[in-house]
Each structure stands twice: as C-alpha cells, then as structure tokens.
Amino acid sequence: MNFYSFTNPLLLHVLNLQPHPGNVLILEDGRLGLLDYGLMGRLSSKDRQTIAETIVALSEKDKARTAEIYRDNGYTASFRGSSEDLDDSVMHRFASFHFDKIDLSPLTLDNGETVDLMELMKSTKEGTVPAFVEEGRRLGGLLMGVNAQAARPISLAAEWRPIAKKALQKK
C-alpha cells in the first residue's frame, strides 16, 4: 500500500477524490495523510484558477463574485422552472456546498424572499455542470462529511484561502 502526505491540489493540479475516513489518518507530527490514490483527478490550469477564485470569493462571503465565477465558467441551473439566471444567493449557496461548508439554514434571495432549503433543493434543476464543480463537490462533500462525523464542522474556504491566494499569485 502506498502512502502519501496530503498536498493541496491547488498547488500541484492533482487531487485525491477518495478522502473518506478509511483513507485518512493523522501522522505523528500532526500532518494529514491520505491512503489509496485509486481515484485521482487532474486540474487544468484554468480549473485550478477558477477553484482558487471561488474559494477566495466564498471566504470573503462575496455572493456576486461567486455567482459571476460560476456563470462565467458554464454552470447553469434553473430555480422554480424559471429560464432566468439563478439568483446570486442561490449560486453562492450551491458553491458553498461544493467548496466551503454545509449550510442548511433558510436562504434569503436577492429580492428579500426567504426560501426553505428543502424547497430550494427540490425546485432547482442543474443544467450544465463544469468538471471543476463536479470534482469540487465530490472532494468537498467528502471532506465536509469526514469533519461532520468527527463533530468538527469546517469551512473549507477559510482553511484553503491562504493556499488559493498563493495559487492565484503563481498564475
């Protein structure tokens, strides 16, 4: 069995897509270790930059910027059957589910209306999902799930922000 220390995908363009509890351990020096690199992903330079920009926007709670990044990179979805672009708040919440944290609180739309999260989930249909979103939500969901199981909720965007900033400086 091969063992590799965890390195952030934003710096290497490579990511482990299976960091479930059976594949995660803590090394004696406190570093995180990942086992089983059977399911790997490779980020293009564009996807790497897009993810880094998304993480920074999420960590700054910038709904408009987060929505702009998703729209500009091809993410589409409809809410309540509307053909209009998704509300910035909806796009931001979905991006948060993919790259930040699990937030089950009601959502306040840009027009001031409050929407229950279950209604949001039932009334939204994804159209186009770019690869960076698909891989991000798989990895983010697994990491958020591991932390939730350990009773240690986490903001991935807050943790990854310094790495994302460094990745954006290297472009």
Side-chain angles (χ1 to χ4, degrees), residues 16-31:
N16 180 325
L17 294 171
Q18 282 184 281
H20 60 74
N23 287 339
V24 177
L25 56 93
I26 305 297
L27 300 174
E28 289 181 18
D29 64 4
R31 289 179 300 141

Side-chain angles (χ1 to χ4, degrees), residues 114-141:
T114 300
V115 178
D116 179 72
L117 188 67
M118 288 311 297
E119 180 192 349
L120 176 69
M121 300 307 281
K122 289 177 183 177
S123 300
T124 303
K125 293 190 186 328
E126 289 183 312
T128 305
V129 181
F132 86 92
V133 171
E134 193 60 51
E135 290 181 351
R137 69 177 165 198
R138 176 173 173 70
L139 178 62

Side-chain angles (χ1 to χ4, degrees), residues 129-167:
V129 181
F132 86 92
V133 171
E134 193 60 51
E135 290 181 351
R137 69 177 165 198
R138 176 173 173 70
L139 178 62
L142 285 167
L143 291 173
M144 287 180 258
V146 167
N147 282 285
Q149 288 177 344
R152 296 192 179 269
I154 189 171
S155 166
L156 293 175
E159 296 293 325
W160 286 346
R161 178 187 169 88
I163 298 164
K165 289 260 198 192
K166 189 181 293 184

Side-chain angles (χ1 to χ4, degrees), residues 48-68:
R48 177 178 172 247
Q49 179 176 339
T50 301
I51 290 170
E53 289 173 354
T54 302
I55 289 167
V56 170
L58 286 167
S59 70
E60 294 174 353
K61 298 178 182 15
D62 187 339
K63 293 179 184 179
R65 178 68 182 132
T66 304
E68 176 184 34

Side-chain angles (χ1 to χ4, degrees), residues 61-92:
K61 298 178 182 15
D62 187 339
K63 293 179 184 179
R65 178 68 182 132
T66 304
E68 176 184 34
I69 293 165
Y70 263 48
R71 283 187 194 101
D72 287 351
N73 288 280
Y75 183 85
T76 62
S78 63
F79 176 55
R80 295 179 176 157
S82 173
S83 61
E84 296 178 20
D85 274 347
L86 282 182
D87 184 287
D88 285 358
S89 295
V90 174
M91 288 282 237
H92 185 266

Side-chain angles (χ1 to χ4, degrees), residues 5-37:
S5 294
F6 175 76
T7 304
N8 190 283
L10 289 176
L11 297 180
L12 290 182
H13 299 255
V14 176
L15 60 151
N16 180 325
L17 294 171
Q18 282 184 281
H20 60 74
N23 287 339
V24 177
L25 56 93
I26 305 297
L27 300 174
E28 289 181 18
D29 64 4
R31 289 179 300 141
L32 180 65
L34 297 177
L35 306 169
D36 185 1
Y37 275 68

